[in-house]
Amino acid sequence: MHTNVDTLFEHLWEDYVDITPSAYKIHELLADSEDGDEIVNDHVAFRTFNLPKTSLDKLAAHFLALGYEEKGEYDFEAKKLDARHFEHPDETKPKVFISELRVLELSEKAQKIIHHLVEQMDDEAVEADNFLYSGKHWTVSKAEYDMLLEESEYAAWLAAWGFRANHFTVSVNFLNKTQELADVNQMLKDAGFTLNSSGGEIKGGESVYLAQSATMADHAYVKFEAESKMIPSCFYEFAQRYKMPDGKYYKGFVASSADKIFESTNTK
């Protein structure tokens, strides 16, 4: 496992922008080049299946080994997901949000496909240094992808893309140009980017101490068993955090908002 948090996130970022070129363009748009301003990353998110070989715990182990601590649990009933978030004692390090699909709650047909995918994985693969940006460890057909897509966009995305950052998140609080999410959204739209409008362009707000927005995912080619197809890849999220009554900034997540953020990879 990685011994250095920054190295891990560098690798994750390189893998992510490779299939999400818009993230690089947005990064350039929001960074203050005159001051050499760095974008602060609020959190990075991962998806997995809740099977023994690929459980949330297996992914989390990589972060726990680097000093991260578990901080919150979330349940997404409609999407059949459990999630947890992790924080590093060094607050400048990104938070980590890992979700897992409750495979048993899907149809037998979908379960069969997912089990077949995971069976193709090496048992030890999940322990490799590069696992969190290693992509998929199986072959999947376009028909299997389509079948999963009918039932769970989350499952289809994971089947197609495997293990990698599903999204990075700009911390709006640390931008030089503006610290208001509404301004960021306007800048993105003016530059021609499409925002996720599910539940409104801004999900949450000051009342829940967290406002979030996201672009719709880029599209990139995925190699299926017998063909390559262009499908949604990853997206870029933006988070503005507010102070709680105790004067500290809220560090958690809001399930009802995150539920809508997941839809950034929807095909429609």
Side-chain angles (χ1 to χ4, degrees):
M1 293 192 180
H2 280 280
T3 51
N4 184 298
V5 180
D6 297 332
T7 309
L8 172 57
F9 283 108
E10 277 164 27
H11 286 301
L12 287 165
W13 174 259
E14 283 163 19
D15 176 70
Y16 162 77
V17 291
D18 192 42
I19 57 169
T20 321
S22 69
Y24 186 78
K25 292 176 190 157
I26 291 168
H27 197 275
E28 295 291 287
L29 176 74
L30 296 178
D32 201 326
S33 49
E34 288 170 27
D35 296 337
D37 200 30
E38 278 296 305
I39 298 287
V40 173
N41 184 17
D42 181 85
H43 69 272
V44 179
F46 300 87
R47 296 180 175 187
T48 193
F49 299 120
N50 74 339
L51 299 178
K53 213 188 276 188
T54 57
S55 69
L56 193 161
D57 286 335
K58 294 277 175 76
L59 274 66
H62 288 264
F63 295 102
L64 297 175
L66 292 169
Y68 275 81
E69 296 164 7
E70 186 183 318
K71 294 290 182 180
E73 291 186 12
Y74 312 88
D75 171 26
F76 299 92
E77 198 177 339
K79 290 186 173 60
K80 304 175 173 68
L81 307 172
D82 290 308
R84 282 182 254 153
H85 98 265
F86 303 82
E87 294 171 22
H88 195 277
D90 176 352
E91 291 186 6
T92 66
K93 305 301 179 202
K95 287 172 276 294
V96 171
F97 186 89
I98 308 174
S99 55
E100 62 179 0
L101 180 66
R102 298 193 288 262
V103 177
L104 276 171
E105 294 183 18
L106 300 181
S107 69
E108 277 185 36
K109 192 169 64 173
Q111 286 187 51
K112 199 174 168 186
I113 294 171
I114 293 166
H115 278 282
H116 174 62
L117 299 181
V118 175
E119 278 161 15
Q120 296 173 54
M121 270 180 75
D122 245 0
D123 284 2
E124 287 77 45
V126 74
E127 291 166 22
D129 274 3
N130 69 344
F131 179 72
L132 294 166
Y133 49 93
S134 62
K136 63 179 188 283
H137 295 247
W138 47 70
T139 55
V140 58
S141 69
K142 180 67 167 53
E144 288 171 325
Y145 169 80
D146 289 337
M147 227 175 274
L148 288 175
L149 192 57
E150 279 179 32
E151 208 171 314
S152 165
E153 181 281 326
Y154 183 107
W157 187 94
L158 191 47
W161 291 111
F163 301 98
R164 55 192 355 134
N166 170 260
H167 63 270
F168 273 69
T169 310
V170 172
S171 174
V172 174
N173 298 69
F174 291 94
L175 290 175
N176 271 353
K177 291 183 176 176
T178 176
Q179 282 83 49
E180 289 298 325
L181 184 58
D183 295 344
V184 171
N185 285 355
Q186 195 57 54
M187 284 166 70
L188 294 168
K189 288 189 286 189
D190 290 348
F193 294 101
T194 305
L195 295 181
N196 169 341
S197 58
S198 176
E201 284 179 358
I202 292 179
K203 295 102 173 72
E206 196 167 359
S207 61
V208 290
Y209 310 114
L210 174 63
Q212 294 164 273
S213 67
T215 60
M216 289 303 287
D218 280 11
H219 282 65
Y221 278 103
V222 158
K223 199 172 184 304
F224 290 105
E225 218 160 47
E227 58 194 316
S228 285
K229 288 283 180 195
M230 196 169 253
I231 63 166
S233 55
C234 305
F235 59 94
Y236 214 174
E237 190 189 323
F238 313 89
Q240 180 179 353
R241 294 183 179 275
Y242 295 89
K243 283 183 180 174
M244 299 183 292
D246 64 6
K248 291 177 182 170
Y249 280 98
Y250 179 66
K251 289 185 191 170
F253 294 84
V254 178
S256 57
S257 301
D259 188 71
K260 302 298 182 196
I261 294 285
F262 277 118
E263 293 171 23
S264 295
T265 48
N266 280 7
T267 45
K268 297 175 183 65

